Amino acid sequence: MRNINEDTITQAVIASMSQCENDRLRAVMTSLVQHLHAFAREVKLTEQEWFHAIRFLTEVGHITDEHRQEFVLLSDTLGLSMLVTSQNNRKPPACTEATVLGPFFVPDAPEYALGDDIANGAAGMPCFVSGSVAGIDGEPVGGAQLDVWQSDEDGFYDVQHETDADGRIVPQARGRLRTAADGTFHFRSILAEAYPIPHDGPVGKMLEALGRHPWRPAHLHFWIQAAGYEPLITHVFRDGDRYLDSDAVFGVRSSLVVDWERHEAGIAPDGTTSDTPFYTLDYRFVLNPLEETA
């Protein structure tokens, strides 16, 4: 491997991986090296630019912790997350479209019964959410697990707030429910509002340098899992939001944009009396069945 130059280094790096026993890893890394080297040649990357890129990635790593995933934000804002989601979630037209997971999902969210208030004190106007989960042939999917999460009216998720006295995050506007036998579900939360992704770090600086804003349109996250069906990770967006056509993470799909109906103070869908105006949202999710394997 002596006397390697700019014309021969790509093949030398690829040849160095010839003993890799993992075929998929070797294929992925070979393509990565080819594209990285081609990129550097195409833009005639300078040493100073290379150093800035290394420093940028280092800063992304330094700000990432158990509560903040800056690498996911970077992937989201470059459209890579949505590209990977799209090519791995091709479904029949009748199925609900998938979109990005985002950086604020938390496993093992608190479990609630149907009709409960998952807001748990989160700031925002009351919103009563209902809907159903069905298969592609219209069959109701009972017992489906729904993970639901969203930001509060100030644009913050619970994991972005201060911890309690014991150093724990207080779950708010986040919960796990299961559909009834007929596939229906209903719960109370708060009205989704547009919010900026965290932009006080390196990804925010990148967006500013590119003349881009950090805003996401108002939405409610869903992760639906049911036996015999492909999992679905998606959002439901508020129609009329100013950022629907410029989502910072490219996650909007027309089929996921629906009306969130405003109601004046009075009797709410759960039979209680609301002293303030409230909203209702109803959405039907359609799952794709798992392919049978021999």
Side-chain angles (χ1 to χ4, degrees), residues 9-39 41:
I9 189 169
T10 303
Q11 289 307 314
V13 175
I14 292 173
S16 74
M17 298 183 286
S18 62
Q19 301 303 309
C20 178
E21 296 181 356
N22 186 318
D23 292 341
R24 177 61 178 169
L25 175 60
R26 186 172 65 254
V28 169
M29 291 303 298
T30 295
S31 182
L32 176 63
V33 168
Q34 290 173 327
H35 284 282
L36 278 176
H37 287 210
F39 160 76
R41 291 187 177 101

Side-chain angles (χ1 to χ4, degrees), residues 141-183:
V141 181
Q145 177 179 290
L146 276 66
D147 274 282
V148 185
W149 67 103
Q150 67 175 101
S151 68
D152 60 24
E153 68 177 5
D154 297 317
F156 294 105
Y157 287 80
D158 50 9
V159 294
Q160 296 175 280
H161 288 296
E162 296 293 328
T163 57
D164 64 15
D166 297 321
R168 295 174 299 188
I169 295 294
V170 178
Q172 290 184 310
R174 180 188 305 277
R176 176 174 292 173
L177 310 97
R178 290 190 178 273
T179 57
D182 63 356

